[in-house]
Amino acid sequence: MKIIGITGGIGTGKSTLLNFLQNEYGAYSIEADKLAHELMLPGNMAYGQIVQTFGREILKNDYTIDREKLGNLVFQNEEKLELLNGIVHPAVKQYILQDIDEQKNKGIAYYIIEAALLIEDGYKEICDELWYVYVKKEERINRLLRGRGGSREKWERVMKNQASEEYYRMHCDVIIDNGKGLEETAKIINELLCSNQ
């Protein structure tokens, strides 16, 4: 089984790549952000520790974590954000490591991990390759405005808080320019995976 980590800034089309890999190569994929949200649900790995750390005032009436409240709390305070990341990121990694063993036993050929903080969270030790998905900043902003709404200022602020292009390029094994359409990206991926067989 080949384990591939896919990373890159917001609006670069990482999800589109995942869909392509699933449909064309039968790849099994995990999106770390979505997994993190699942692990924050009552009864799951990160829930108890988050409530213990940030208090019951972050809970809704149904005892689920109000992610907007929690977000407002941590994104204004670097220390609190670090605390939250210190709970969620290790829980995500632990789940993924267990899941890799399970999928290996099922005979999966490609296991894909998609995460914005793949490098920072030390997934290089887990993955056979790290792929950096790249799109020019202006195109990313346009995609986000079309797909998710919000304002240009909002997305620029989000991008500013993410790693730089140089950082991704320095730490990743493969750079995929995803700004030329899915057909071009598909060609790159086909070449990458066929050359590795």
Side-chain angles (χ1 to χ4, degrees):
M1 184 168 82
K2 189 178 180 72
I3 303 165
I4 299 166
I6 292 181
T7 192
I10 193 168
T12 53
K14 298 186 292 295
S15 298
T16 308
L17 246 78
L18 287 187
N19 290 337
F20 175 79
L21 286 161
Q22 284 163 357
N23 296 333
E24 297 299 315
Y25 286 91
Y28 176 93
S29 69
I30 268 201
E31 293 175 67
D33 272 359
K34 285 184 182 171
L35 176 58
H37 295 156
E38 280 175 41
L39 296 181
M40 288 165 69
L41 292 172
N44 288 348
M45 280 163 95
Y47 178 83
Q49 214 180 332
I50 291 170
V51 175
Q52 204 178 341
T53 305
F54 296 98
R56 299 184 70 78
E57 54 272 16
I58 61 160
L59 296 179
K60 295 179 183 176
N61 291 337
D62 62 0
Y63 299 104
T64 58
I65 291 169
D66 187 326
R67 293 214 327 261
E68 197 178 329
K69 261 187 195 168
L70 182 61
N72 290 336
L73 198 68
V74 300
F75 290 122
Q76 312 297 331
N77 185 317
E78 215 168 295
E79 211 174 283
K80 284 181 179 171
L81 181 59
E82 273 179 35
L83 272 176
L84 179 63
N85 288 342
I87 297 166
V88 176
H89 295 180
V92 167
K93 202 174 198 179
Q94 188 186 333
Y95 180 96
I96 287 173
L97 286 167
Q98 287 167 355
D99 195 47
I100 284 171
D101 286 338
E102 276 179 41
Q103 300 311 321
K104 209 176 268 181
N105 294 333
K106 290 179 186 173
I108 293 289
Y110 298 104
Y111 189 104
I112 315 292
I113 305 164
E114 184 275 309
L117 298 174
L118 211 62
I119 302 158
E120 296 88 332
D121 285 346
Y123 281 88
K124 196 152 181 122
E125 296 101 67
I126 297 168
C127 299
D128 298 306
E129 281 181 359
L130 291 189
W131 292 4
Y132 165 46
V133 184
Y134 163 81
V135 173
K136 285 179 182 163
K137 184 183 172 186
E138 199 54 38
E139 174 60 23
R140 287 166 67 193
I141 289 171
N142 290 335
R143 284 181 184 185
L144 289 162
L145 290 171
R146 279 195 308 269
R148 304 193 201 180
S151 67
R152 168 177 283 273
E153 292 72 33
K154 176 191 172 177
W155 298 121
E156 281 183 345
R157 200 163 56 243
V158 171
M159 286 179 193
K160 206 175 161 191
N161 285 326
Q162 292 188 323
S164 68
E165 188 190 324
E166 293 72 30
Y167 180 80
Y168 285 122
R169 286 179 182 270
M170 190 166 55
H171 293 280
C172 291
D173 308 293
V174 173
I175 292 146
I176 297 173
D177 184 345
N178 196 27
K180 295 173 184 159
L182 185 57
E183 212 173 294
E184 282 302 309
T185 302
K187 275 186 209 168
I188 297 166
I189 291 171
N190 291 335
E191 278 172 27
L192 280 167
L193 296 184
C194 292
S195 69
N196 281 327
Q197 280 173 352

